[in-house]
């Protein structure tokens, strides 16, 4: 308000002596209205009329900048007046800390800038990346300041600085110029994921790498790989090569994916689902197949009463802990078919006997299954991982309780004996949102699944909507760590890789927005879609 009054007063004074201060789009970018030159011209008095006035000095008055348009949207932007910043091949990327070299080289290559390394000098047009010592700040937060023809992106960690470079990249690609002012930004949820079922359908390494780049630009930080199921086991194994499908990813290919993900601050989260969904493993080990009292094989289920079953799974868990060095692991635990019959103990007497032998006379098959997951958790815990289990791997009324550190990956309320999300939250469990009502992209749309739409996610879903369409109370928000959009390949040939990429494009963007900021978005869906098209 004060600045507008000053400008108006200067214009009145100038008109009083027949002088004008003219805005010029081609000159005077460094001489904004209100500068010394402007004030000198405007201050000529009537009494000095005999003295020829000085020639008008062209100046440029910039409007207040507007917030950058990005996906996800930035949470805070303080506008300012100025030309903003745009990249040029003569401009540098410099870092204040050698640990930001990877982020610096990446954004330099993306924007066509020169990477100059760690420098303390200041030059016109610089993009500077820096770490700050903001204790207690969200480690993924960042501040981006566009001022004086330069850009500075700072954060408490390299991850935060990286997210700042994603914002800058989108600003430039979407509008050509990063607007003047200060962005302060941070995610609402610490875990923002995309899960891909590569067991039922083979996806090429190049396709997965393209998704990693897409996820990084959208500020996701996890990629889940479900690589073992009834249809195939898709990653090279040295401990059990007999279980691996002919068409699979080599460990070298996986390492390339993991390294690319790490460069984008994305953790790859592996999942070897057990004790169900092990059909591909059991095809090579039929002696471990679960059979009912009549000797009929139970699809995908391993016989957890046998020590050899546990040994096989632990071999795999130990082996792949070296392939996936990230902090998280998915143990699976869903849809163990022994627990879907009316009387598990009668149908599977060997499981009931093993439960009683290990846990006492009152124990049942659900106790044995819970113990199985706890034992696998012990194996993975030795590798210092935080583990998650599908919600239908947690059972009511068991004497054996799931390990306290297991995070509930909540995907459905449709299973037999489904427990509502609040039941887990009230018990103090932390949860991740995989809500199959909004976030499940199931190829072929079997079992009443429908392909999720970005619009529905954008307009209706939040991380608190864990089951169906109803959010849990706000008091539990901090226990919900984040969520994941998931691709499941039940009918693998229903879509090609390219069709999957196109189909998940807007759901990925909408989910990213809601995990970064769960509040009602400022843009309409039409505006959001148009922005996505502009950003590419």
């Amino acid at each position: 308000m004060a600045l507008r009054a000053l400008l108006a007063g200067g214009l009145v004074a100038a008109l009083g002596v027949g002088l004008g201060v003219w805005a010029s789009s081609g000159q005077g970018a460094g001489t904004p209205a209100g500068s010394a030159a402007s004030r000198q011209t405007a201050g000529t008095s009537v009494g000095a009329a005999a003295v020829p006035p000085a020639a008008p000095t062209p100046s440029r008055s910039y409007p207040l900048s507007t917030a950058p348009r990005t996906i996800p949207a930035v949470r805070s932007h303080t506008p300012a007046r100025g030309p903003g910043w745009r990249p040029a091949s003569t401009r540098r990327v410099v870092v204040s800390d050698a640990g930001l070299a990877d982020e610096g080289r990446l954004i330099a290559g993306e924007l066509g800038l020169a990477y100059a390394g760690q420098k303390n000098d200041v030059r016109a047009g610089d993009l500077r990346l820096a770490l700050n010592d903001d204790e207690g700040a969200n480690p993924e937060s960042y501040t981006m300041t566009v001022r004086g023809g330069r850009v500075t992106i700072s954060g408490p960690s390299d991850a935060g600085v990286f997210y700042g470079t994603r914002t800058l990249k989108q600003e430039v690609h979407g509008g050509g110029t990063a607007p003047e002012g200060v962005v302060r930004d941070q995610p609402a949820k610490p875990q923002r994921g995309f899960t891909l079922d590569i067991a039922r359908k083979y996806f090429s390494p190049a396709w997965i790498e393209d998704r990693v780049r897409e996820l990084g630009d959208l500020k996701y930080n996890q990629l889940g790989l479900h690589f073992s199921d009834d249809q195939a086991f898709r990653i090279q194994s040295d401990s059990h090569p007999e279980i691996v499908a002919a068409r699979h990813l080599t460990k070298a290919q996986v390492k390339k994916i993991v390294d690319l993900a790490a460069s984008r601050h994305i953790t790859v989260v592996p999942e070897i689902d057990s004790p169900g969904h092990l059909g591909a493993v059991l095809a090579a080990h039929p002696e471990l197949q679960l059979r009912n009292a009549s000797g009929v094989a139970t699809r995908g289920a391993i016989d957890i009463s046998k020590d050899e079953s546990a040994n096989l799974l632990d071999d795999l868990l130990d082996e792949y802990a070296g392939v996936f060095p990230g902090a998280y692991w998915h143990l699976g635990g869903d849809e163990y078919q022994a627990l879907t019959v009316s009387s598990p103990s009668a149908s599977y007497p060997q499981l009931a006997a093993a439960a009683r032998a290990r846990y006492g006379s009152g124990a049942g098959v659900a106790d044995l299954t819970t113990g199985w997951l706890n034992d696998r958790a012990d194996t993975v815990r030795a590798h210092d991982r935080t583990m998650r289990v599908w919600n239908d791997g947690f059972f009511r009324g068991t004497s054996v309780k799931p390990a306290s550190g297991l995070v509930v990956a909540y995907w459905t309320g449709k299973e037999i004996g489904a427990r509502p999300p609040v039941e887990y939250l009230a018990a103090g469990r932390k949860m991740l949102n995989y809500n199959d009502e909004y976030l499940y992209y199931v190829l072929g749309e079997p079992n009443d699944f429908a392909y999720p739409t970005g619009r529905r996610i954008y307009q209706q879903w939040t991380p608190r909507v864990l089951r169906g369409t109803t959010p849990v109370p706000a008091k539990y928000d901090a226990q919900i760590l984040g969520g994941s959009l998931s691709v499941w390949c039940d009918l693998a040939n229903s879509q090609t890789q390219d069709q999957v990429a196109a189909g998940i494009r807007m759901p990925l963007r909408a989910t990213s927005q809601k995990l970064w900021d769960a509040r009602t978005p400022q843009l309409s869906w039409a505006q959001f879609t148009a922005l996505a098209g502009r950003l590419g």
Side-chain angles (χ1 to χ4, degrees), residues 106-425:
L106 177 61
I107 191 64
E110 291 170 329
L111 298 185
L113 307 172
Y115 178 68
Q118 190 172 4
K119 301 288 184 182
N120 293 322
D121 63 314
V122 176
R123 293 186 187 175
D126 275 355
L127 164 58
R128 178 171 293 278
L129 308 183
L131 295 176
N132 60 42
D133 56 358
D134 189 0
E135 293 185 9
N138 184 320
E140 293 185 304
S141 65
Y142 68 91
T143 300
M144 180 169 68
T145 303
V146 180
R147 182 182 296 142
R150 294 186 295 274
V151 182
T152 299
I153 298 173
S154 64
S157 74
D158 52 354
V161 172
F162 171 75
Y163 296 134
T165 67
R166 298 308 87 193
T167 294
L168 181 65
K169 177 184 176 182
Q170 287 193 29
E171 287 177 330
V172 170
H173 284 190
T177 302
E180 202 87 1
V182 180
V183 168
R184 291 181 177 85
D185 201 11
Q186 66 180 42
K189 293 300 178 183
Q191 297 189 40
R192 305 175 302 280
F194 169 63
T195 298
L196 181 64
D197 172 10
I198 64 172
R200 296 180 178 102
K201 182 180 180 68
Y202 174 83
F203 289 87
S204 71
W207 190 93
I208 298 172
E209 290 168 13
D210 284 344
R211 299 291 74 71
V212 168
R213 296 184 185 94
E214 182 179 18
L215 293 173
D217 283 351
L218 294 170
K219 302 187 176 83
Y220 283 89
N221 62 6
Q222 291 184 11
L223 167 64
L225 288 182
H226 175 91
F227 63 93
S228 170
D229 213 301
D230 295 338
Q231 291 76 5
F233 191 101
R234 293 283 188 192
I235 296 179
Q236 172 190 346
S237 172
D238 299 320
S239 66
H240 290 281
E242 73 280 2
I243 69 176
V244 180
R247 203 175 189 198
H248 63 273
L249 301 180
T250 67
K251 286 186 176 178
Q253 290 170 330
V254 172
K255 184 178 187 306
K256 187 178 177 185
I257 292 167
V258 169
D259 289 348
L260 177 65
S263 75
R264 265 69 175 174
H265 296 274
I266 295 170
T267 299
V268 181
V269 183
E271 181 190 359
I272 300 176
D273 202 348
S274 82
H277 292 280
L278 284 171
V281 171
L282 294 169
H285 289 276
E287 73 281 5
L288 301 180
Q289 176 84 51
L290 178 66
R291 296 179 180 276
N292 67 15
S294 302
V296 177
T298 302
R299 176 177 170 81
I302 199 167
D303 190 336
I304 59 177
S305 70
K306 296 182 177 182
D307 290 340
E308 296 83 359
S309 296
N311 293 338
L312 172 58
L313 262 294
D314 287 345
D315 285 346
L316 295 173
L317 295 175
D318 285 331
E319 177 180 1
Y320 289 101
V323 178
F324 299 98
Y328 304 103
W329 195 281
H330 202 315
L331 290 171
D334 64 315
E335 298 180 323
Y336 189 47
Q337 297 301 310
L339 292 169
T340 63
V341 297
S342 58
S343 178
S345 294
S347 295
Y348 300 97
Q350 76 276 36
L351 300 184
R356 291 191 296 271
R358 183 168 181 181
Y359 299 114
S361 59
V365 176
D367 291 293
L368 190 69
T369 308
T370 301
W372 165 275
L373 283 174
N374 286 346
D375 290 345
R376 306 293 74 75
D378 287 342
T379 301
V380 175
R381 192 177 293 107
H383 299 284
D384 195 25
R385 304 292 198 270
T386 298
M387 292 153 288
R388 62 192 64 163
V389 174
W390 296 117
N391 60 285
D392 48 334
F394 294 81
F395 309 105
R396 272 198 189 100
T398 55
S399 58
V400 179
K401 303 303 179 185
S404 60
L406 297 179
V407 174
V408 180
Y410 202 100
W411 71 281
T412 189
K414 300 182 178 74
E415 80 279 6
I416 297 173
R419 299 165 68 184
V422 169
E423 190 170 322
Y424 299 96
L425 294 166

Side-chain angles (χ1 to χ4, degrees), residues 388-461:
R388 62 192 64 163
V389 174
W390 296 117
N391 60 285
D392 48 334
F394 294 81
F395 309 105
R396 272 198 189 100
T398 55
S399 58
V400 179
K401 303 303 179 185
S404 60
L406 297 179
V407 174
V408 180
Y410 202 100
W411 71 281
T412 189
K414 300 182 178 74
E415 80 279 6
I416 297 173
R419 299 165 68 184
V422 169
E423 190 170 322
Y424 299 96
L425 294 166
R429 289 277 178 187
K430 294 180 179 178
M431 303 186 76
L432 286 164
N433 191 324
Y434 290 78
N435 189 338
D436 64 347
E437 176 75 23
Y438 291 96
L439 305 178
Y440 260 38
Y441 193 97
V442 184
L443 297 198
E445 301 179 300
N447 302 321
D448 296 325
F449 282 108
Y451 291 129
T453 68
R455 180 174 191 157
R456 204 162 168 254
I457 296 168
Y458 189 77
Q459 294 180 338
Q460 300 177 18
W461 181 80

